[in-house]
Amino acid sequence: MKPAATAAAPARGFFLGSGAAARYGLYYAPAGRCRGAYQYVAPFAEEMNKARRMAALQARAMSAAGYAVLCLDLHGCGDSAGDFADARWEGWLDDLARGALWLRQQLGDALPQAPGLWGLRMGALLALDYAKRCAEAPADLLLWQPVLSGSSALTQFLRLKVVGDMLAGGAGQPGGTAALRSALGAGSALEIAGYTLAPALALAIDALDAGQLAPPCPVRWFELASQPGQPLTPAANRAIGAWQADGVQVSAWSLAGPQFWATQEISTSPALLAASAAALREDCHAS
């Protein structure tokens, strides 16, 4: 007979720091013995809001399975201090370091290993960059639909402005995304879909390539496809292959489900939640 599942405790909201350094977090305490900890790294701009439901469902499942989870709004995002225009990539990396330290202090000797990182979309790219730079390697990385090319992601975001200008009745941005890139390079901030994009943040994102960010820890990689049985994308296979050539242990899954971070209505992917929970239960990367 299987033991009864332990219910997850309600999330606790709090502010880490105060004033301009205040970062809003939701903490999901582990139910029963602490098996580890994860810090959630949210996706970029409006994708963060679209994904909140999925993030909450996954965090609760992880909590019930014995993992502590910290969902921290980064600088200029959500309920944390600052505006999006103030956000900088280096500042976000600092926020992840603060979150990891907070988890260490919160859990003390109950935490058996360094906190892992669970990143979605651009949050996965940020998690990879942090794992490459930080003094203490994360226990592992849980990556949902990771953005692989910062340059491609920036171009897609800039297209929102081109399309938005056209829908507003204008002729669109002369020169398209190339002109917008030139404006960023000249130091001009851009207003895109309600978000003010600072040149420094844009240029930092533009330079990132996941294939060059082989992490110093095991990786569990999940992608969502439109149909069951579809393989990973060629870009994903290239990045994973480059990491494996550097000795990184990678387990990867392709699942059918909606792109919940981009759907018009709030949506969820039960298949992704179930597969992530199963991967954690297997403890295939336990040290």
Side-chain angles (χ1 to χ4, degrees), residues 184-211:
L184 289 167
S188 297
L190 299 177
E191 189 75 23
I192 303 175
Y195 294 87
T196 301
L197 178 64
L201 177 58
L203 296 176
I205 291 172
D206 198 34
L208 292 167
D209 175 4

PDB file of all heavy atoms in Angstrom, residues 184-211:
ATOM      1  N   LEU A 184      18.242  50.789 -30.091  1.00  0.00           N
ATOM      2  CA  LEU A 184      18.754  50.273 -28.819  1.00  0.00           C
ATOM      3  C   LEU A 184      20.267  50.457 -28.734  1.00  0.00           C
ATOM      4  O   LEU A 184      20.803  50.850 -27.699  1.00  0.00           O
ATOM      5  CB  LEU A 184      18.396  48.794 -28.667  1.00  0.00           C
ATOM      6  CG  LEU A 184      16.920  48.454 -28.414  1.00  0.00           C
ATOM      7  CD1 LEU A 184      16.678  46.964 -28.602  1.00  0.00           C
ATOM      8  CD2 LEU A 184      16.503  48.888 -27.008  1.00  0.00           C
ATOM      9  N   GLY A 185      20.950  50.167 -29.841  1.00  0.00           N
ATOM     10  CA  GLY A 185      22.399  50.319 -29.858  1.00  0.00           C
ATOM     11  C   GLY A 185      22.842  51.759 -29.661  1.00  0.00           C
ATOM     12  O   GLY A 185      23.934  52.008 -29.137  1.00  0.00           O
ATOM     13  N   ALA A 186      21.968  52.689 -30.055  1.00  0.00           N
ATOM     14  CA  ALA A 186      22.278  54.110 -29.878  1.00  0.00           C
ATOM     15  C   ALA A 186      21.894  54.618 -28.496  1.00  0.00           C
ATOM     16  O   ALA A 186      22.073  55.812 -28.200  1.00  0.00           O
ATOM     17  CB  ALA A 186      21.569  54.930 -30.949  1.00  0.00           C
ATOM     18  N   GLY A 187      21.332  53.719 -27.656  1.00  0.00           N
ATOM     19  CA  GLY A 187      21.016  54.107 -26.285  1.00  0.00           C
ATOM     20  C   GLY A 187      19.583  54.508 -26.037  1.00  0.00           C
ATOM     21  O   GLY A 187      19.263  55.036 -24.968  1.00  0.00           O
ATOM     22  N   SER A 188      18.678  54.247 -26.987  1.00  0.00           N
ATOM     23  CA  SER A 188      17.273  54.629 -26.820  1.00  0.00           C
ATOM     24  C   SER A 188      16.465  53.466 -26.255  1.00  0.00           C
ATOM     25  O   SER A 188      16.534  52.343 -26.783  1.00  0.00           O
ATOM     26  CB  SER A 188      16.670  55.055 -28.162  1.00  0.00           C
ATOM     27  OG  SER A 188      17.315  56.193 -28.676  1.00  0.00           O
ATOM     28  N   ALA A 189      15.705  53.737 -25.210  1.00  0.00           N
ATOM     29  CA  ALA A 189      14.784  52.732 -24.682  1.00  0.00           C
ATOM     30  C   ALA A 189      13.578  52.625 -25.605  1.00  0.00           C
ATOM     31  O   ALA A 189      13.214  53.580 -26.294  1.00  0.00           O
ATOM     32  CB  ALA A 189      14.348  53.103 -23.275  1.00  0.00           C
ATOM     33  N   LEU A 190      12.939  51.459 -25.619  1.00  0.00           N
ATOM     34  CA  LEU A 190      11.785  51.226 -26.478  1.00  0.00           C
ATOM     35  C   LEU A 190      10.580  50.809 -25.649  1.00  0.00           C
ATOM     36  O   LEU A 190      10.702  50.011 -24.721  1.00  0.00           O
ATOM     37  CB  LEU A 190      12.095  50.131 -27.500  1.00  0.00           C
ATOM     38  CG  LEU A 190      13.239  50.385 -28.489  1.00  0.00           C
ATOM     39  CD1 LEU A 190      13.441  49.160 -29.366  1.00  0.00           C
ATOM     40  CD2 LEU A 190      12.957  51.613 -29.338  1.00  0.00           C
ATOM     41  N   GLU A 191       9.420  51.338 -26.020  1.00  0.00           N
ATOM     42  CA  GLU A 191       8.164  50.943 -25.389  1.00  0.00           C
ATOM     43  C   GLU A 191       7.546  49.836 -26.240  1.00  0.00           C
ATOM     44  O   GLU A 191       7.185  50.057 -27.406  1.00  0.00           O
ATOM     45  CB  GLU A 191       7.219  52.129 -25.301  1.00  0.00           C
ATOM     46  CG  GLU A 191       5.977  51.880 -24.473  1.00  0.00           C
ATOM     47  CD  GLU A 191       6.255  51.871 -22.977  1.00  0.00           C
ATOM     48  OE1 GLU A 191       7.262  52.460 -22.562  1.00  0.00           O
ATOM     49  OE2 GLU A 191       5.457  51.269 -22.231  1.00  0.00           O
ATOM     50  N   ILE A 192       7.433  48.628 -25.661  1.00  0.00           N
ATOM     51  CA  ILE A 192       6.955  47.479 -26.422  1.00  0.00           C
ATOM     52  C   ILE A 192       5.903  46.748 -25.607  1.00  0.00           C
ATOM     53  O   ILE A 192       6.202  46.234 -24.517  1.00  0.00           O
ATOM     54  CB  ILE A 192       8.112  46.514 -26.766  1.00  0.00           C
ATOM     55  CG1 ILE A 192       9.219  47.244 -27.536  1.00  0.00           C
ATOM     56  CG2 ILE A 192       7.590  45.326 -27.562  1.00  0.00           C
ATOM     57  CD1 ILE A 192      10.443  46.392 -27.802  1.00  0.00           C
ATOM     58  N   ALA A 193       4.694  46.719 -26.129  1.00  0.00           N
ATOM     59  CA  ALA A 193       3.601  45.957 -25.506  1.00  0.00           C
ATOM     60  C   ALA A 193       3.423  46.298 -24.028  1.00  0.00           C
ATOM     61  O   ALA A 193       3.147  45.423 -23.210  1.00  0.00           O
ATOM     62  CB  ALA A 193       3.830  44.454 -25.688  1.00  0.00           C
ATOM     63  N   GLY A 194       3.615  47.570 -23.702  1.00  0.00           N
ATOM     64  CA  GLY A 194       3.435  48.018 -22.329  1.00  0.00           C
ATOM     65  C   GLY A 194       4.662  47.903 -21.457  1.00  0.00           C
ATOM     66  O   GLY A 194       4.605  48.210 -20.262  1.00  0.00           O
ATOM     67  N   TYR A 195       5.778  47.482 -22.007  1.00  0.00           N
ATOM     68  CA  TYR A 195       7.030  47.325 -21.265  1.00  0.00           C
ATOM     69  C   TYR A 195       8.095  48.237 -21.872  1.00  0.00           C
ATOM     70  O   TYR A 195       8.264  48.270 -23.091  1.00  0.00           O
ATOM     71  CB  TYR A 195       7.521  45.873 -21.305  1.00  0.00           C
ATOM     72  CG  TYR A 195       6.610  44.907 -20.585  1.00  0.00           C
ATOM     73  CD1 TYR A 195       5.530  44.323 -21.242  1.00  0.00           C
ATOM     74  CD2 TYR A 195       6.819  44.590 -19.245  1.00  0.00           C
ATOM     75  CE1 TYR A 195       4.687  43.439 -20.591  1.00  0.00           C
ATOM     76  CE2 TYR A 195       5.985  43.707 -18.590  1.00  0.00           C
ATOM     77  CZ  TYR A 195       4.917  43.140 -19.254  1.00  0.00           C
ATOM     78  OH  TYR A 195       4.082  42.273 -18.596  1.00  0.00           O
ATOM     79  N   THR A 196       8.811  48.955 -21.012  1.00  0.00           N
ATOM     80  CA  THR A 196       9.910  49.792 -21.476  1.00  0.00           C
ATOM     81  C   THR A 196      11.195  48.979 -21.414  1.00  0.00           C
ATOM     82  O   THR A 196      11.660  48.609 -20.337  1.00  0.00           O
ATOM     83  CB  THR A 196      10.046  51.063 -20.619  1.00  0.00           C
ATOM     84  OG1 THR A 196       8.820  51.805 -20.691  1.00  0.00           O
ATOM     85  CG2 THR A 196      11.188  51.937 -21.130  1.00  0.00           C
ATOM     86  N   LEU A 197      11.756  48.712 -22.575  1.00  0.00           N
ATOM     87  CA  LEU A 197      12.953  47.885 -22.682  1.00  0.00           C
ATOM     88  C   LEU A 197      14.190  48.767 -22.703  1.00  0.00           C
ATOM     89  O   LEU A 197      14.378  49.571 -23.623  1.00  0.00           O
ATOM     90  CB  LEU A 197      12.890  47.034 -23.952  1.00  0.00           C
ATOM     91  CG  LEU A 197      14.091  46.130 -24.247  1.00  0.00           C
ATOM     92  CD1 LEU A 197      14.249  45.068 -23.168  1.00  0.00           C
ATOM     93  CD2 LEU A 197      13.948  45.488 -25.623  1.00  0.00           C
ATOM     94  N   ALA A 198      15.033  48.633 -21.686  1.00  0.00           N
ATOM     95  CA  ALA A 198      16.261  49.416 -21.605  1.00  0.00           C
ATOM     96  C   ALA A 198      17.312  48.841 -22.545  1.00  0.00           C
ATOM     97  O   ALA A 198      17.413  47.615 -22.698  1.00  0.00           O
ATOM     98  CB  ALA A 198      16.789  49.421 -20.174  1.00  0.00           C
ATOM     99  N   PRO A 199      18.114  49.688 -23.183  1.00  0.00           N
ATOM    100  CA  PRO A 199      19.159  49.184 -24.086  1.00  0.00           C
ATOM    101  C   PRO A 199      20.105  48.200 -23.419  1.00  0.00           C
ATOM    102  O   PRO A 199      20.488  47.190 -24.023  1.00  0.00           O
ATOM    103  CB  PRO A 199      19.883  50.464 -24.516  1.00  0.00           C
ATOM    104  CG  PRO A 199      18.882  51.546 -24.354  1.00  0.00           C
ATOM    105  CD  PRO A 199      18.050  51.160 -23.170  1.00  0.00           C
ATOM    106  N   ALA A 200      20.492  48.461 -22.170  1.00  0.00           N
ATOM    107  CA  ALA A 200      21.447  47.579 -21.498  1.00  0.00           C
ATOM    108  C   ALA A 200      20.885  46.169 -21.338  1.00  0.00           C
ATOM    109  O   ALA A 200      21.600  45.174 -21.523  1.00  0.00           O
ATOM    110  CB  ALA A 200      21.824  48.153 -20.139  1.00  0.00           C
ATOM    111  N   LEU A 201      19.595  46.065 -21.004  1.00  0.00           N
ATOM    112  CA  LEU A 201      18.979  44.747 -20.855  1.00  0.00           C
ATOM    113  C   LEU A 201      18.881  44.054 -22.210  1.00  0.00           C
ATOM    114  O   LEU A 201      19.199  42.868 -22.342  1.00  0.00           O
ATOM    115  CB  LEU A 201      17.588  44.886 -20.228  1.00  0.00           C
ATOM    116  CG  LEU A 201      16.788  43.588 -20.075  1.00  0.00           C
ATOM    117  CD1 LEU A 201      17.531  42.570 -19.230  1.00  0.00           C
ATOM    118  CD2 LEU A 201      15.410  43.875 -19.471  1.00  0.00           C
ATOM    119  N   ALA A 202      18.473  44.801 -23.233  1.00  0.00           N
ATOM    120  CA  ALA A 202      18.327  44.219 -24.558  1.00  0.00           C
ATOM    121  C   ALA A 202      19.654  43.694 -25.083  1.00  0.00           C
ATOM    122  O   ALA A 202      19.736  42.585 -25.635  1.00  0.00           O
ATOM    123  CB  ALA A 202      17.750  45.257 -25.519  1.00  0.00           C
ATOM    124  N   LEU A 203      20.718  44.467 -24.928  1.00  0.00           N
ATOM    125  CA  LEU A 203      22.022  44.069 -25.455  1.00  0.00           C
ATOM    126  C   LEU A 203      22.577  42.858 -24.705  1.00  0.00           C
ATOM    127  O   LEU A 203      23.252  42.006 -25.299  1.00  0.00           O
ATOM    128  CB  LEU A 203      22.988  45.241 -25.394  1.00  0.00           C
ATOM    129  CG  LEU A 203      22.608  46.437 -26.284  1.00  0.00           C
ATOM    130  CD1 LEU A 203      23.567  47.593 -26.076  1.00  0.00           C
ATOM    131  CD2 LEU A 203      22.566  46.034 -27.749  1.00  0.00           C
ATOM    132  N   ALA A 204      22.294  42.774 -23.411  1.00  0.00           N
ATOM    133  CA  ALA A 204      22.736  41.606 -22.637  1.00  0.00           C
ATOM    134  C   ALA A 204      22.033  40.346 -23.119  1.00  0.00           C
ATOM    135  O   ALA A 204      22.656  39.286 -23.287  1.00  0.00           O
ATOM    136  CB  ALA A 204      22.488  41.836 -21.148  1.00  0.00           C
ATOM    137  N   ILE A 205      20.729  40.435 -23.344  1.00  0.00           N
ATOM    138  CA  ILE A 205      19.966  39.290 -23.838  1.00  0.00           C
ATOM    139  C   ILE A 205      20.454  38.888 -25.228  1.00  0.00           C
ATOM    140  O   ILE A 205      20.615  37.705 -25.544  1.00  0.00           O
ATOM    141  CB  ILE A 205      18.464  39.628 -23.861  1.00  0.00           C
ATOM    142  CG1 ILE A 205      17.927  39.769 -22.429  1.00  0.00           C
ATOM    143  CG2 ILE A 205      17.673  38.565 -24.627  1.00  0.00           C
ATOM    144  CD1 ILE A 205      16.506  40.294 -22.350  1.00  0.00           C
ATOM    145  N   ASP A 206      20.703  39.877 -26.057  1.00  0.00           N
ATOM    146  CA  ASP A 206      21.097  39.647 -27.449  1.00  0.00           C
ATOM    147  C   ASP A 206      22.371  38.812 -27.566  1.00  0.00           C
ATOM    148  O   ASP A 206      22.567  38.091 -28.550  1.00  0.00           O
ATOM    149  CB  ASP A 206      21.302  41.008 -28.131  1.00  0.00           C
ATOM    150  CG  ASP A 206      21.282  40.911 -29.646  1.00  0.00           C
ATOM    151  OD1 ASP A 206      20.537  40.078 -30.184  1.00  0.00           O
ATOM    152  OD2 ASP A 206      22.018  41.680 -30.296  1.00  0.00           O
ATOM    153  N   ALA A 207      23.228  38.879 -26.559  1.00  0.00           N
ATOM    154  CA  ALA A 207      24.534  38.216 -26.637  1.00  0.00           C
ATOM    155  C   ALA A 207      24.510  36.772 -26.150  1.00  0.00           C
ATOM    156  O   ALA A 207      25.532  36.081 -26.243  1.00  0.00           O
ATOM    157  CB  ALA A 207      25.553  39.011 -25.824  1.00  0.00           C
ATOM    158  N   LEU A 208      23.374  36.288 -25.650  1.00  0.00           N
ATOM    159  CA  LEU A 208      23.341  34.985 -24.988  1.00  0.00           C
ATOM    160  C   LEU A 208      23.016  33.849 -25.945  1.00  0.00           C
ATOM    161  O   LEU A 208      22.125  33.947 -26.781  1.00  0.00           O
ATOM    162  CB  LEU A 208      22.318  35.000 -23.849  1.00  0.00           C
ATOM    163  CG  LEU A 208      22.695  35.891 -22.664  1.00  0.00           C
ATOM    164  CD1 LEU A 208      21.498  36.095 -21.759  1.00  0.00           C
ATOM    165  CD2 LEU A 208      23.855  35.277 -21.886  1.00  0.00           C
ATOM    166  N   ASP A 209      23.739  32.755 -25.784  1.00  0.00           N
ATOM    167  CA  ASP A 209      23.545  31.542 -26.580  1.00  0.00           C
ATOM    168  C   ASP A 209      23.590  30.354 -25.624  1.00  0.00           C
ATOM    169  O   ASP A 209      24.617  30.082 -24.997  1.00  0.00           O
ATOM    170  CB  ASP A 209      24.642  31.421 -27.634  1.00  0.00           C
ATOM    171  CG  ASP A 209      24.582  30.131 -28.432  1.00  0.00           C
ATOM    172  OD1 ASP A 209      23.634  29.348 -28.235  1.00  0.00           O
ATOM    173  OD2 ASP A 209      25.487  29.902 -29.256  1.00  0.00           O
ATOM    174  N   ALA A 210      22.470  29.649 -25.483  1.00  0.00           N
ATOM    175  CA  ALA A 210      22.397  28.537 -24.527  1.00  0.00           C
ATOM    176  C   ALA A 210      23.427  27.465 -24.820  1.00  0.00           C
ATOM    177  O   ALA A 210      23.927  26.810 -23.905  1.00  0.00           O
ATOM    178  CB  ALA A 210      20.989  27.938 -24.536  1.00  0.00           C
ATOM    179  N   GLY A 211      23.760  27.263 -26.083  1.00  0.00           N
ATOM    180  CA  GLY A 211      24.743  26.244 -26.428  1.00  0.00           C
ATOM    181  C   GLY A 211      26.113  26.509 -25.848  1.00  0.00           C
ATOM    182  O   GLY A 211      26.918  25.579 -25.675  1.00  0.00           O
TER     183      GLY A 211
END
